[in-house]
Amino acid sequence: MKRLVISCAAAVALMAGPALSADLPEPYEPVSPEVYGPTVFNWTGAYIGTQLGYSWGNINGNFPGTGNATIDKDGVAGGFYGGYNYQVAPNFVIGGEADITWADLQGNRRMGGFSYKTRTTWMGSLRARAGVAFDRFMVYGTGGVAFANNTVERQGFGSESKNAAGWTLGAGVEGAITQNIVARGEYIYQAFGDQNYNKLNVKSVDFNTNVVRAGVAYKF
């Protein structure tokens, strides 16, 4: 009888072992938390912005009774710009841009017994751009076609205004404040060819402008 009880107990223990093992939780390896690094800024996309700065330059021409002479001018210039960038490589960006600027550049000089005044009221350009990007910071060069208005006034003879086309070159730096807001600082040089102001008898007038400006744009 004693042997029968021991045999039954052993049989129960052997059957219960696998069942208890099945109820134990399976071991698992801990999951490492995901690590998120800083987002690299993408320069590709369209943008539109506004800018304000200071401009200076001069006109050079042949004035009656004086011959070849120069009149300096300067003033405030501000307006709008827009364009499109395309990031062709991790550190290289190309694009195109247009801008329109309203200006108040004025200068005057007395020559040959007459007082002369000159002023520029607007400027604009169509330019290509190429830059080197360092994540959210970019250095770029730009160049293209420039347009401007120039007026010359001669005492006792009235004034004459001309629209002119020329060329422009410049450089700047941009920084992305957020994913959509980009600030910039820029220098632009513009040069315009000879024109005759026949009403005033002022000949072979060419003029140039330098612009230093800051801007902020929204990138779409």
Side-chain angles (χ1 to χ4, degrees):
M1 185 66 177
K2 185 177 180 180
R3 289 181 180 177
L4 180 60
V5 171
I6 292 173
S7 298
C8 290
V12 171
L14 288 173
M15 290 186 293
L20 290 173
S21 298
D23 292 336
L24 293 175
E26 291 290 334
Y28 66 93
E29 294 187 10
V31 178
S32 301
E34 293 188 33
V35 178
Y36 296 93
T39 302
V40 177
F41 186 75
N42 187 349
W43 289 91
T44 297
Y47 59 90
I48 186 170
T50 183
Q51 58 194 3
L52 181 66
Y54 171 74
S55 180
W56 71 97
N58 61 62
I59 70 167
N60 184 77
N62 196 305
F63 294 85
T66 301
N68 195 64
T70 299
I71 303 176
D72 296 326
K73 57 183 175 180
D74 65 345
V76 176
F80 299 95
Y81 63 95
Y84 188 90
N85 286 324
Y86 182 68
Q87 195 158 347
V88 296
N91 297 102
F92 191 59
V93 179
I94 60 174
E97 183 172 297
D99 71 270
I100 181 69
T101 300
W102 289 270
D104 185 27
L105 280 66
Q106 298 188 38
N108 60 80
R109 182 177 177 182
R110 189 168 183 84
M111 300 176 290
F114 295 94
S115 178
Y116 291 89
K117 294 182 180 180
T118 181
R119 65 182 180 274
T120 296
T121 55
W122 65 266
M123 301 176 286
S125 67
L126 295 172
R127 293 174 284 110
R129 300 203 316 156
V132 179
F134 305 92
D135 192 8
R136 305 177 77 87
F137 179 79
M138 180 170 68
V139 180
Y140 65 89
T142 183
V145 182
F147 309 92
N149 170 270
N150 187 63
T151 299
V152 176
E153 180 181 339
R154 180 183 177 190
Q155 182 184 11
F157 288 80
S159 64
E160 189 172 356
S161 181
K162 297 272 189 176
N163 293 329
W167 57 271
T168 179
L169 286 175
V173 295
E174 289 191 338
I177 300 173
T178 69
Q179 289 298 109
N180 300 104
I181 304 298
V182 180
R184 70 161 52 169
E186 184 177 66
Y187 166 78
I188 293 290
Y189 176 80
Q190 300 172 323
F192 303 91
D194 289 354
Q195 290 185 309
N196 294 322
Y197 292 74
N198 296 317
K199 177 182 174 180
L200 311 178
N201 197 28
V202 178
K203 307 294 185 180
S204 301
V205 174
D206 63 74
F207 67 100
N208 62 75
T209 60
N210 302 267
V211 187
V212 175
R213 56 198 180 190
V216 60
Y218 183 86
K219 176 182 174 295
F220 296 93

